[in-house]
Amino acid sequence: YAISSDDIVHMLLIPQTPLGQKVIALLGDDVLDGRCFNKKAIARKVFRDPRLLSGLEKILHPEVQKQIELIYQQVSTHA
Protein backbone atom coordinates (compact mmCIF):
# COMPACT_ATOMS: atom_id res chain seq x y z
CA TYR A 1 0.00 0.00 0.00
CA ALA A 2 1.48 3.36 -1.04
CA ILE A 3 0.88 6.61 0.80
CA SER A 4 1.74 10.04 -0.56
CA SER A 5 3.03 12.35 2.13
CA ASP A 6 2.52 15.24 -0.32
CA ASP A 7 -1.17 14.39 -0.51
CA ILE A 8 -1.36 14.33 3.26
CA VAL A 9 0.30 17.75 3.52
CA HIS A 10 -2.18 19.17 1.00
CA MET A 11 -5.02 17.72 3.06
CA LEU A 12 -3.66 19.13 6.33
CA LEU A 13 -2.50 22.53 5.11
CA ILE A 14 -5.64 24.60 5.61
CA PRO A 15 -5.24 28.12 7.04
CA GLN A 16 -8.27 27.87 9.33
CA THR A 17 -6.95 24.85 11.26
CA PRO A 18 -4.62 24.96 14.27
CA LEU A 19 -1.87 23.51 12.07
CA GLY A 20 -2.49 26.18 9.45
CA GLN A 21 -2.35 28.88 12.10
CA LYS A 22 1.06 27.59 13.23
CA VAL A 23 2.30 27.82 9.66
CA ILE A 24 1.00 31.39 9.36
CA ALA A 25 2.64 32.31 12.67
CA LEU A 26 5.95 30.96 11.35
CA LEU A 27 5.86 32.30 7.80
CA GLY A 28 3.53 35.29 7.92
CA ASP A 29 0.18 35.89 6.30
CA ASP A 30 1.79 36.79 2.98
CA VAL A 31 1.82 33.05 2.23
CA LEU A 32 -1.96 33.20 1.97
CA ASP A 33 -3.86 33.62 -1.26
CA GLY A 34 -7.32 34.48 -0.05
CA ARG A 35 -8.47 31.62 2.16
CA CYS A 36 -5.83 29.17 0.90
CA PHE A 37 -2.10 28.79 1.22
CA ASN A 38 0.00 29.87 -1.74
CA LYS A 39 2.36 26.93 -1.94
CA LYS A 40 4.73 28.78 -4.29
CA ALA A 41 5.05 31.59 -1.75
CA ILE A 42 5.74 29.06 0.99
CA ALA A 43 8.40 27.38 -1.15
CA ARG A 44 10.07 30.70 -1.97
CA LYS A 45 10.33 31.54 1.73
CA VAL A 46 11.43 28.22 3.16
CA PHE A 47 13.95 27.34 0.46
CA ARG A 48 15.71 30.68 0.99
CA ASP A 49 15.90 30.37 4.76
CA PRO A 50 16.97 27.07 6.34
CA ARG A 51 15.54 28.15 9.72
CA LEU A 52 12.08 28.60 8.20
CA LEU A 53 12.34 25.25 6.42
CA SER A 54 13.31 23.55 9.68
CA GLY A 55 10.46 25.27 11.50
CA LEU A 56 7.95 24.22 8.86
CA GLU A 57 9.21 20.64 9.00
CA LYS A 58 8.83 20.63 12.79
CA ILE A 59 5.21 21.71 12.37
CA LEU A 60 4.27 19.41 9.50
CA HIS A 61 6.25 16.20 9.96
CA PRO A 62 4.68 15.03 13.24
CA GLU A 63 1.18 15.60 11.84
CA VAL A 64 2.00 13.81 8.59
CA GLN A 65 3.43 10.89 10.58
CA LYS A 66 0.21 10.67 12.63
CA GLN A 67 -1.87 10.54 9.46
CA ILE A 68 0.36 7.85 7.93
CA GLU A 69 0.00 5.74 11.07
CA LEU A 70 -3.79 6.17 11.00
CA ILE A 71 -3.98 5.16 7.36
CA TYR A 72 -1.85 2.06 7.95
CA GLN A 73 -4.01 1.11 10.94
CA GLN A 74 -7.14 1.44 8.80
CA VAL A 75 -5.62 -0.58 5.98
CA SER A 76 -4.37 -3.32 8.29
CA THR A 77 -7.74 -3.74 9.98
CA HIS A 78 -9.49 -4.04 6.61
CA ALA A 79 -6.93 -6.37 5.02
Side-chain angles (χ1 to χ4, degrees), residues 2-33:
I3 295 175
S4 168
S5 57
D6 285 340
D7 288 346
I8 292 172
V9 169
H10 290 290
M11 178 187 75
L12 293 174
L13 205 53
I14 300 168
Q16 298 78 16
T17 65
L19 180 81
Q21 292 297 304
K22 289 179 184 177
V23 172
I24 294 167
L26 174 70
L27 301 177
D29 61 3
D30 58 327
V31 297
L32 294 173
D33 186 11

Side-chain angles (χ1 to χ4, degrees), residues 57 61 73:
E57 289 172 344
H61 287 180
Q73 286 174 4

Side-chain angles (χ1 to χ4, degrees), residues 2 6 8 12 16 19-21 23-24 28 33 46 49 51 55-56 58 62-63 67 71 73-75 77-78:
D6 285 340
I8 292 172
L12 293 174
Q16 298 78 16
L19 180 81
Q21 292 297 304
V23 172
I24 294 167
D33 186 11
V46 301
D49 186 335
R51 291 173 296 153
L56 184 62
K58 287 178 182 174
E63 296 302 319
Q67 291 300 312
I71 292 167
Q73 286 174 4
Q74 291 171 351
V75 169
T77 58
H78 297 303

Side-chain angles (χ1 to χ4, degrees), residues 51-67:
R51 291 173 296 153
L52 290 179
L53 177 59
S54 177
L56 184 62
E57 289 172 344
K58 287 178 182 174
I59 293 169
L60 293 178
H61 287 180
E63 296 302 319
V64 170
Q65 185 62 39
K66 285 180 193 175
Q67 291 300 312

